Amino acid sequence: MRSATSSGRPVLAGAARSVRPTAHIRHSLPSSRRPIRIIAAPRPVGASIATRRYLHSSLKAEDEGQKPFHALSTHAAEARASFRDPLTRYDHLVKDNVLRPDPHQRAIISKLERLWKDLQHYDPGPVPEPATTEVTPSFFGKLFHRTPTHPQPTHALENVPKGLYLYGSVGTGKTMLMDLFHSTLPEQFRSKQKGGYGSTRIHFHSFMLDVLQRQHEVGAKYAAMGLGKRDAMPEVARSLAEEGRVLCFDEFQVTDIVTAMILRQLLERLMGFGVVCIMTSNRHPDELYINGIQRQSFIPAIELIKEKFEVVDLDSGTDYRKLPRALNKVYFSPLSSDTKSELSKLFQSLASADPVSTEVVHDRKIPLWGRELHVPESSGSVAKFKFSDLCNRPLSAADYLEVTGRFGTVFVEDVPRMGLGERDQARRFITFIDACYENKTKIFISSEVPIFQVFSDKHDKGTAGDDEHMRNVMDDMGLNADDVGSSSLFSGDEELFAFARCVSRLSQMGTKEWSETSGGEQQL
């Protein structure tokens, strides 16, 4: 399964870093990726760069039989012990001044503790082998061949531990809580090695891409066997369960009819194979796919979530993104020769220190799902594009995830102010920023107007306050409507939410914490 990296929204005292899944996740998208650095123990959620290196040096010394300083050894031992369960981990991070103490967040973590205890004593058993039946190539074999039986569920739904559905608006710490839980899973779910069952931590959008790809592959397999169209979902769910019995979805949302139509069957099949799911979302289950096409057919999936998941509201009135943080210089405007020169110097500086390769290649071609994308300039893990390279072409979320997975740092030059005539480009730019956010990519952008105003209407001095609904959405996101300006680009609720979320993410991606913890090992 394709892994999407994530970014936490913790109560920060210093720089933040999310725990990333490593070897137990299979990548189904193209394998060209920047190298994944695997260390001796899970990285601490929210640890600063210095803290991670400090801890890693101690763990490495111990693993190699050296005798580290007593203080280092003590700190490493405490850090290891803190991964025992969610509450212990949270208390350690507070004690270590990585997170700020927050009674509401600690109460939420007690919900994680409940599921952790259920999983500690949960034995899902083996996953059944895939059902296969060879087709005899003879005439009579084709007439009388047996069709394959679907993999049969191994668990009654009531015997599978109740999952968690964590929902709240932007800035409520959803991703941080998910990462914290995933990093403290009971031993049998941390790895598939030594008889473990494994787990998967993934962004929901990437997960659904993987599901659709598996459906296609299973369908093609059945067609090759001469079986025609058969339901591929049982085998898809079985293969997902084989890779991990705990499935953590981040940013769970339903925006298209395909996801809406298959979601209930998919969740039921997964639980039938003993899979326990944890989800984070911006919406209560009742508000999923609101006003969507044929929403009535999605209601059974909502009822299943409410029945088989503990639904937890994360909103406490505290927006952890709005805690004081120093802005870092990553956005440049207006478009001028000085701006172009400054970005060029930054690119050369980062490329010359690139740990993957310092050679700058012009017009590099990278494969994207049977096509090629031309990268004007790039080193091993640093790339520079024009806005038109990324947004004037019919690229998709999967393409952007591939680009931001390959390059840890991306420069985007010449972002224009987008009006109604650039609606498609605006949508692609939002999708690209979402991919950067999911893959923890460091970005540098030059734009015609300040970055937060690139979606504001041209020649319009009004504000988002002219549209009460838009102002309410941005207030919920913690955005200043007067700074963003008005926009007629986005009409439906989902589009408006995606726009406001993009501006909010651009704000977070311009902070010193993001710059220090994104883009792999490179630092400014």
Side-chain angles (χ1 to χ4, degrees):
M1 185 179 303
R2 186 192 190 283
S3 162
T5 59
S6 62
S7 62
R9 301 177 184 113
V11 192
L12 287 167
R17 176 82 173 202
S18 300
V19 172
R20 298 186 181 187
T22 52
H24 59 275
I25 291 182
R26 178 179 70 84
H27 295 267
S28 65
L29 292 181
S31 59
S32 51
R33 289 282 183 269
R34 62 177 180 260
I36 296 176
R37 179 169 164 268
I38 302 176
I39 60 176
R43 292 180 179 179
V45 177
S48 66
I49 297 293
T51 302
R52 292 205 314 274
R53 289 174 177 168
Y54 166 83
L55 175 57
H56 177 55
S57 65
S58 175
L59 295 175
K60 183 178 179 182
E62 290 184 349
D63 291 340
E64 293 178 354
Q66 301 173 20
K67 185 177 181 181
F69 292 107
H70 175 71
L72 274 175
S73 181
T74 301
H75 190 280
E78 290 177 353
R80 275 204 188 95
S82 74
F83 284 99
R84 186 174 64 243
D85 63 88
L87 275 176
T88 301
R89 181 69 187 143
Y90 177 80
D91 289 340
H92 172 79
L93 294 174
V94 170
K95 177 184 175 183
D96 218 26
N97 294 319
V98 173
L99 302 180
R100 299 175 189 270
D102 184 301
H104 179 78
Q105 267 196 342
R106 198 175 193 282
I108 296 298
I109 290 173
S110 68
K111 307 282 188 181
L112 304 181
E113 193 81 3
R114 186 277 304 169
L115 179 55
W116 184 88
K117 290 179 180 177
D118 288 347
L119 290 174
Q120 189 179 25
H121 305 291
Y122 176 52
D123 181 4
V127 176
E129 293 295 321
T132 58
T133 298
E134 295 295 332
V135 179
T136 306
S138 67
F139 173 77
F140 289 104
K142 292 178 180 178
L143 284 179
F144 301 109
H145 74 267
R146 294 177 57 198
T147 59
T149 57
H150 289 311
Q152 295 302 306
T154 55
H155 293 68
L157 298 192
E158 58 269 19
N159 295 333
V160 178
K162 200 168 189 177
L164 277 176
Y165 183 99
L166 310 174
Y167 78 96
S169 57
V170 171
T172 52
K174 298 185 294 294
T175 303
M176 185 278 290
L177 292 169
M178 175 75 82
D179 287 337
L180 187 147
F181 181 77
H182 187 265
S183 70
T184 59
L185 282 171
E187 192 65 35
Q188 69 268 34
F189 299 105
R190 294 192 187 185
S191 171
K192 291 199 56 131
Q193 298 176 1
K194 299 180 181 179
Y197 296 112
S199 63
T200 300
R201 162 75 169 84
I202 190 169
H203 190 278
F204 183 68
H205 180 78
S206 299
F207 172 75
M208 288 308 302
L209 285 175
D210 186 57
V211 168
L212 294 175
Q213 180 176 320
R214 289 178 194 238
Q215 277 191 302
H216 175 75
E217 291 172 352
V218 173
K221 174 184 173 183
Y222 286 165
M225 296 172 66
L227 303 177
K229 293 184 178 180
R230 294 182 58 81
D231 184 10
M233 192 58 71
E235 175 56 29
V236 169
R238 189 208 67 81
S239 66
L240 290 168
E242 194 172 43
E243 293 182 7
R245 297 303 189 88
V246 175
L247 186 53
C248 299
F249 295 133
D250 198 21
E251 298 284 355
F252 180 82
Q253 58 180 326
V254 182
T255 58
D256 60 88
I257 185 63
V258 175
T259 301
M261 295 297 288
I262 69 174
L263 195 57
R264 179 183 174 92
Q265 183 191 9
L266 176 61
L267 291 176
E268 282 186 334
R269 296 283 186 181
L270 286 170
M271 288 186 281
F273 289 116
V275 175
V276 180
C277 298
I278 302 94
M279 308 176 182
T280 71
S281 179
N282 292 299
R283 299 176 181 272
H284 185 279
D286 288 333
E287 297 175 356
L288 291 169
Y289 199 49
I290 201 77
N291 300 323
I293 299 173
Q294 300 181 31
R295 187 175 188 268
Q296 193 62 32
S297 62
F298 181 63
I299 299 299
I302 293 176
E303 296 304 320
L304 178 69
I305 291 172
K306 291 162 66 175
E307 178 185 357
K308 298 300 180 184
F309 290 75
E310 182 178 1
V311 179
V312 181
D313 184 358
L314 300 182
D315 286 319
S316 65
T318 301
D319 186 345
Y320 302 125
R321 283 186 172 184
K322 294 172 70 176
L323 294 174
R325 292 174 292 181
L327 283 174
N328 201 49
K329 183 70 170 177
V330 298
Y331 304 130
F332 302 82
S333 65
L335 300 177
S336 65
S337 58
D338 289 341
T339 294
K340 188 175 184 66
S341 175
E342 191 166 359
L343 247 65
S344 179
K345 290 177 182 177
L346 274 172
F347 174 78
Q348 293 298 332
S349 175
L350 289 176
S352 65
D354 193 332
V356 178
S357 171
T358 59
E359 179 187 1
V360 174
V361 178
H362 293 268
D363 198 29
R364 184 195 302 268
K365 298 177 180 64
I366 60 174
L368 287 180
W369 304 89
R371 308 184 307 279
E372 285 186 338
L373 177 67
H374 293 249
V375 186
E377 290 184 75
S378 61
S379 59
S381 62
V382 182
K384 184 164 67 171
F385 295 91
K386 298 284 188 184
F387 173 85
S388 57
D389 297 325
L390 295 170
C391 300
N392 286 6
R393 300 182 56 199
L395 300 180
S396 68
D399 298 322
Y400 294 135
L401 285 168
E402 172 67 14
V403 170
T404 57
R406 175 187 287 263
F407 299 107
T409 300
V410 175
F411 287 71
V412 183
E413 295 184 310
D414 303 339
V415 177
R417 188 175 189 175
M418 289 167 267
L420 286 172
E422 296 81 28
R423 182 189 291 269
D424 288 343
Q425 289 93 326
R427 288 170 174 164
R428 292 186 193 115
F429 185 67
I430 288 173
T431 304
F432 170 73
I433 294 301
D434 285 343
C436 290
Y437 190 86
E438 292 160 20
N439 270 341
K440 210 76 165 80
T441 302
K442 188 199 301 289
I443 59 173
F444 295 90
I445 297 176
S446 66
S447 55
E448 179 182 353
V449 294
I451 191 65
F452 305 116
Q453 296 176 14
V454 295
F455 301 115
S456 62
D457 288 336
K458 297 179 179 180
H459 314 301
D460 183 6
K461 295 183 179 179
T463 70
D466 298 334
D467 183 330
E468 183 178 355
H469 182 48
M470 182 175 284
R471 175 176 280 278
N472 289 337
V473 170
M474 287 200 286
D475 284 346
D476 289 342
M477 291 285 203
L479 303 174
N480 187 327
D482 295 325
D483 291 340
V484 175
S486 64
S487 178
S488 54
L489 279 170
F490 311 101
S491 52
D493 283 349
E494 291 296 339
E495 275 195 344
L496 185 55
F497 177 80
F499 151 68
R501 182 180 62 188
C502 177
V503 177
S504 177
R505 287 180 168 180
L506 283 168
S507 178
Q508 184 181 2
M509 295 163 79
T511 62
K512 189 172 186 296
E513 287 88 354
W514 184 275
S515 179
E516 288 181 344
T517 59
S518 60
E521 294 302 305
Q522 282 193 322
Q523 307 301 328
L524 284 177

